[in-house]
């Protein structure tokens, strides 16, 4: 049985009650998302609360950690209560569509999401699933455009092969890519994951690449630099 928790330098994430465990995608999202001038942050689909905790560690913003699953929301709340930033992070158990409709007067400087419906997407290509995912992305990006402040940033982590369609849907909601990180898991391999930051401003998108491992269980220097404030052994 895998360990029921993951220990970071400043906090611990228990994930035994959550479908989405602590993983590289979430760590990258929490470490790479720009938060320098953020006062209000929204984490859509917080799961264990990992990304909300990482962003709280990196800045002084208040954070709403939104989660539709009651069990996951409860575990996220427990993880956050045990952390140094419990007073700045609020877990809300609610569907994002309902939340965005009820709270469209609220504006966030930073919105992040690690969409759960992309889990296992590389293993199971399916036209029906792709259609459903397209509809999910439309709902997600519509809600983000309602809640993002005029100068705010929305950052997402998705499979590389979904990035073009995701950008197309984003542009239909007035959101345009400003930064993109191509994640390469081993030397010579094509990127399978990507992180993209969107804003309401049309601009040239700055493309970056990140190699996570130079060999099995041996992290690259750039990955260590990005995540060293979080991982215990970095």
């Amino acid at each position: 049985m895998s360990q029921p928790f993951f220990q970071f330098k400043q906090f611990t994430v228990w994930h035994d009650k959550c479908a989405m465990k602590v993983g590289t995608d979430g760590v990258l999202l929490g470490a790479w998302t720009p938060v320098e001038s953020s006062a209000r942050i929204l984490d859509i689909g917080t799961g264990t609360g990992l990304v909300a905790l990482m962003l709280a560690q990196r800045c002084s913003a208040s954070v709403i950690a939104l989660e539709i699953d009651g069990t996951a929301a409860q575990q996220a709340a427990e993880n956050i209560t045990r952390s140094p930033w419990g007073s700045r992070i609020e877990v809300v158990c609610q569907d994002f569509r309902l939340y965005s409709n009820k709270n469209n007067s609220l504006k966030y400087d930073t919105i992040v999401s690690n969409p759960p419906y992309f889990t296992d997407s590389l293993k199971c290509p399916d036209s029906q699933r792709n259609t459903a995912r397209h509809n999910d992305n439309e709902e997600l990006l519509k809600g983000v455009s309602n809640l993002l402040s005029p100068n705010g940033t929305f950052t997402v982590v998705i499979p590389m092969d979904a990035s073009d369609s995701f950008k197309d849907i984003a542009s239909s909601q007035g959101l345009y890519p400003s930064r993109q990180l191509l994640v390469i898991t081993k030397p010579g391999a094509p990127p399978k994951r990507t992180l993209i930051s969107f804003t309401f401003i049309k601009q040239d998108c700055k493309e970056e690449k990140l190699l996570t491992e130079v060999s099995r269980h041996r992290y690259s220097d750039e990955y260590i630099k990005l995540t060293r404030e979080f991982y215990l052994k970095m």
Side-chain angles (χ1 to χ4, degrees):
M1 181 178 177
S2 61
Q3 198 169 11
F5 64 88
F6 197 101
Q7 179 71 53
F8 291 90
K9 285 182 177 177
Q10 295 192 41
F11 59 91
T12 301
V13 174
W14 289 78
H15 56 193
D16 53 304
K17 299 174 185 175
C18 294
M20 291 184 70
K21 310 301 183 185
V22 171
T24 303
D25 286 359
V27 171
L28 284 170
L29 185 62
W32 187 78
T33 295
V35 292
E36 292 76 13
S37 58
S38 296
R40 290 174 53 81
I41 294 173
L42 175 64
D43 177 17
I44 303 168
T46 197
T48 61
L50 168 64
V51 177
L53 286 162
M54 292 181 70
L55 298 180
Q57 178 179 324
R58 293 179 53 211
C59 68
S60 59
S62 62
V63 184
I64 297 294
L66 192 67
E67 175 57 49
I68 190 173
D69 181 79
T71 302
Q74 181 180 356
Q75 184 149 67
E78 292 167 355
N79 288 330
I80 287 161
T81 298
R82 297 187 190 106
S83 79
W85 312 288
S87 62
R88 287 198 284 118
I89 308 173
E90 178 187 357
V91 176
V92 176
C93 185
Q94 195 171 95
D95 185 298
F96 175 61
R97 288 169 293 187
L98 179 60
Y99 183 85
S100 61
N101 288 334
K102 288 176 62 178
N103 298 279
N104 56 19
S105 61
L106 296 176
K107 300 299 175 187
Y108 292 90
D109 306 302
T110 299
I111 300 178
V112 294
S113 185
N114 180 7
Y117 48 84
F118 278 121
T119 301
D120 295 329
S121 64
L122 300 180
K123 300 178 185 176
C124 189
D126 179 275
S127 60
Q128 187 176 13
R129 177 176 292 186
N130 288 338
T131 299
R133 187 180 301 135
H134 180 93
N135 294 336
D136 286 339
N137 287 338
E138 285 188 322
E139 292 286 349
L140 172 64
L141 289 159
K142 180 180 178 181
V144 167
S145 67
N146 286 337
L147 297 174
L148 191 65
S149 67
N151 295 313
T153 301
F154 168 56
T155 303
V156 66
V157 54
I158 55 176
M160 188 68 203
D161 63 2
S163 63
D164 288 342
S165 61
F166 197 91
K167 288 177 187 176
D168 288 343
I169 299 169
S171 66
S172 72
Q173 298 297 329
L175 293 164
Y176 306 98
S178 59
R179 293 172 71 210
Q180 181 167 5
L181 181 69
L182 310 182
V183 182
I184 301 165
T185 56
K186 59 183 179 180
K192 290 188 176 181
R193 282 289 189 273
T194 185
L195 285 82
I196 312 173
S197 287
F198 294 88
T199 71
F200 287 120
I201 303 167
K202 275 189 177 181
Q203 58 194 292
D204 291 334
C205 181
K206 180 182 178 183
E207 187 175 288
E208 308 163 23
K209 292 182 180 179
L210 177 71
L211 174 66
T212 57
E213 290 184 334
V214 294
S215 60
R216 183 69 172 163
H217 300 311
R218 185 181 164 208
Y219 293 118
S220 69
D221 289 343
E222 57 264 38
Y223 185 71
I224 292 171
K225 182 179 179 181
L226 181 64
T227 61
R228 65 169 20 123
E229 296 304 314
F230 302 100
Y231 283 130
L232 277 177
K233 297 181 180 180
M234 288 296 192

